[in-house]
Amino acid sequence: MPFEKFHIKHTYEPGRKYFAVLLDPDNVDDSSCLQLLALSEANPIDFFFIGGSLLTTDNQAQVIRLIKSSTDVPVILFPGNSLHIDTQADGILLLSLISGRNPDFLIGQHVLSAPILKASKLAIYPTGYMLVDSGRQTTVSYMSGTTPIPYDKPAIAACTAMAGELLGLQYIYMDGGSGAREPISAEMIAAVRAAVDIPIIVGGGINTAEKAQAALTAGADVIVVGNHIEKNPGFLAEVSQIVSSFNQVVP
Ligand code: 1GP
């Protein structure tokens, strides 16, 4: 079952919603990290995702160390490439960029990573990563040299997710890219939800309570928020509350 390698409280339950806070190691320092850790004590979150498509500092190891020494919230790598693996983390989203046609991000980086991952204790989450156009080029589309799925083409997203599921991938991550102008549409999330049975992670441009709510209502199992929490840490508490209210109605 998804996420089962984590401690029992994080065992995946269908219908339950999850909240991941994404930290880009280039954008946080010890003090902002400690502030978010304190907030996450009072306002439960399910995961810290750590990473970015381009890292320009060597801060990632320190961020992971700090989180691991302060909380038992699982730390999941969200790597831009095989250089971003850090075995201090609990797990890794092993992303195959299935919306793109760049072999390096479909299999190339994975070949480089395989021996390190196999020898590590990291929990591996094989994930079909789908970039969706958000109105402007994002770092990830540029860095990966791939064309995102058009914003208003839910059928393409649904067929791509289906193909990922049929290939054996265990999660779908729909991403508008960090700081996306618009989050992925509810229509596209619902189309992917109807097309696959595996958990769906949704991120990119979620910067209001309404947008978080809309993604969850449309069928996201996990929502990821990065940018807006970096700028406005109090948003962590807001999203935590929304996710909890969804989970209160789970039978
Ligand atoms: C980006 O999905 C993540 O890859 C989160 O996006 O930074 O816009 O919240 P934001």
Side-chain angles (χ1 to χ4, degrees):
M1 287 294 262
F3 300 124
E4 76 180 346
K5 286 190 194 168
F6 297 120
H7 25 97
I8 288 156
K9 72 175 182 175
H10 287 104
T11 300
Y12 178 75
E13 300 157 32
R16 188 190 183 292
K17 305 290 188 181
Y18 296 80
F19 173 28
V21 172
L22 172 64
L23 300 182
D24 180 332
D26 282 357
N27 299 342
V28 291
D29 56 19
D30 284 9
S31 108
S32 55
C33 227
L34 287 168
Q35 186 188 7
L36 292 175
L37 283 161
L39 276 166
S40 67
E41 282 281 300
N43 307 276
I45 71 168
D46 296 290
F47 307 104
F48 279 110
F49 284 180
I50 310 289
S53 22
L54 174 68
L55 298 186
T56 61
T57 64
D58 62 358
N59 195 33
Q60 178 173 272
Q62 168 61 11
V63 173
I64 297 174
R65 208 173 299 128
L66 194 58
I67 299 175
K68 293 298 299 167
S69 65
S70 319
T71 177
D72 60 1
V73 173
V75 173
I76 313 292
L77 300 171
F78 176 47
N81 60 55
S82 56
L83 294 172
H84 297 167
I85 295 170
D86 186 324
T87 55
Q88 296 179 96
D90 298 296
I92 180 168
L93 297 176
L94 188 58
L95 305 168
S96 186
L97 210 177
I98 57 176
S99 57
R101 300 295 180 267
N102 178 348
D104 195 30
F105 290 97
L106 282 162
I107 183 65
Q109 292 293 319
H110 314 69
V111 173
L112 296 173
S113 311
I116 301 159
L117 296 179
K118 191 91 182 163
S120 79
K121 293 200 165 73
L122 290 167
I124 312 289
Y125 301 104
T127 302
Y129 187 52
M130 301 187 358
L131 276 182
V132 178
D133 188 77
S134 64
R136 64 168 168 180
Q137 192 167 51
T138 55
T139 308
V140 58
S141 67
Y142 180 79
M143 290 305 294
S144 64
T146 65
T147 308
I149 295 172
Y151 182 82
D152 58 351
K153 299 288 181 197
I156 298 179
C159 293
T160 306
M162 261 186 242
E165 184 180 50
L166 291 170
L167 281 164
L169 295 169
Q170 292 169 22
Y171 306 86
I172 293 294
Y173 190 148
M174 303 171 73
D175 197 350
S178 202
R181 276 203 190 119
E182 286 303 324
I184 294 170
S185 72
E187 196 189 355
M188 186 179 279
I189 297 170
V192 170
R193 177 68 292 154
V196 298
D197 295 321
I198 53 181
I200 300 173
I201 305 166
V202 174
I206 297 177
N207 56 12
T208 66
E210 292 71 28
K211 289 174 185 174
Q213 186 108 27
L216 293 165
T217 306
D221 298 286
V222 183
I223 53 171
V224 185
V225 183
N227 256 268
H228 198 60
I229 286 176
E230 283 167 6
K231 289 185 200 131
N232 171 13
F235 191 52
L236 184 153
E238 246 183 281
V239 178
S240 169
Q241 219 159 56
I242 292 167
V243 172
S244 301
S245 65
F246 267 84
N247 291 334
Q248 272 159 21
V249 297
V250 173

